[in-house]
Amino acid sequence: LHSFPTRRSSDLTYTETATYQNGEIKVSGVNIENATFTGNLTVVDSVVDGDIRLTNSAVQGELLIKGGGTVYLDGGTYQNITLEKQGVKIVLLGQATVETLTARAATNIVVDNQSKIKTLNVDKAASRTTITTQENGTIDNIQSRGISDIVLNTPAKLIGFGSSAGGSTLVSNAVIDKIVAEAKVALTLNANVESVLLTATGEGTSITLGNNA
């Protein structure tokens, strides 16, 4: 297990191209560049707030975020990201790509620049998670089992609201292939949506159409 920081100093930036098995980040202010973790990387829960940045790095196992204030992922590839800290913010920048991101507590997720999340899951316990895509950052598939507030400025394939997601909101300013609502949610659609499926439990969902929808 490789711990960051590795030394007692004010410089918490690690730029060497290195490969580790598992790692843990124990303080805020850490900036890791060009690193590959073949196993897992954990931001431990004793990191109360502050920024952590990973630049052009890769986590092939799980990036587990139990602490920190804001986590920036600038470029790089991530197989699984799990957000366990209430109120943490994660910002994807550059061409960062994430296979699966799961929010287990209410968090703030921003997908910016050219970054991409393939599947984003919001657990029941993560109610009032906020999700925003901007510039050319995209999320293919959002499955919201808890309450979420979503603003999409880029296209998406599937947005699903589970039966416990009642009270969720979606503002879409770009094309969405399909929306499935199993709970009463509020949809503001300012661009085309190929199909909207409301199940019986989604009765009462409000749909507001903008000029371009």
Side-chain angles (χ1 to χ4, degrees):
L1 182 66
H2 194 89
S3 289
F4 300 89
T6 53
R7 51 189 179 261
R8 290 180 183 276
S9 78
S10 57
D11 180 17
L12 299 173
T13 298
Y14 304 86
T15 57
E16 61 185 312
T17 301
T19 300
Y20 309 97
Q21 186 174 4
N22 297 308
E24 60 180 17
I25 296 174
K26 293 184 159 181
V27 296
S28 63
V30 167
N31 180 12
I32 299 172
E33 300 179 15
N34 309 313
T36 299
F37 295 88
T38 58
N40 304 323
L41 177 62
T42 303
V43 181
V44 300
D45 53 13
S46 58
V47 183
V48 179
D49 54 20
D51 294 352
I52 289 161
R53 183 178 288 265
L54 296 174
T55 304
N56 295 328
S57 294
V59 180
Q60 294 168 0
E62 178 185 41
L63 172 58
L64 177 57
I65 299 175
K66 293 179 157 189
T70 304
V71 178
Y72 296 93
L73 304 180
D74 190 350
T77 57
Y78 300 87
Q79 191 64 28
N80 283 296
I81 299 176
T82 304
L83 306 177
E84 287 193 351
K85 187 189 172 192
Q86 180 99 9
V88 79
K89 181 177 184 179
I90 186 165
V91 181
L92 271 58
L93 299 166
Q95 294 186 0
T97 58
V98 179
E99 281 292 324
T100 305
L101 186 149
T102 301
R104 291 200 174 140
T107 55
N108 182 356
I109 300 160
V110 179
V111 184
D112 204 342
N113 298 152
Q114 320 282 320
S115 61
K116 176 171 184 142
I117 297 174
K118 290 192 179 170
T119 301
L120 194 160
N121 300 307
V122 178
D123 284 357
K124 276 189 198 176
S127 281
R128 292 266 87 100
T129 285
T130 63
I131 300 163
T132 308
T133 65
Q134 53 200 38
E135 272 197 49
N136 294 304
T138 57
I139 306 170
D140 281 351
N141 176 1
I142 299 174
Q143 294 298 324
S144 186
R145 296 176 186 88
I147 302 167
S148 59
D149 297 297
I150 305 170
V151 178
L152 299 180
N153 293 301
T154 56
K157 291 177 181 170
L158 173 64
I159 313 295
F161 296 99
S163 57
S164 298
S168 292
T169 63
L170 168 66
V171 177
S172 137
N173 299 313
V175 172
I176 298 174
D177 291 352
K178 186 174 187 180
I179 298 171
V180 179
E182 296 175 30
K184 181 179 174 180
V185 298
L187 306 176
T188 303
L189 308 177
N190 299 318
N192 193 40
V193 176
E194 298 290 331
S195 69
V196 178
L197 172 63
L198 302 180
T199 68
T201 48
E203 188 180 350
T205 286
S206 68
I207 301 176
T208 306
L209 297 179
N211 294 334
N212 299 318

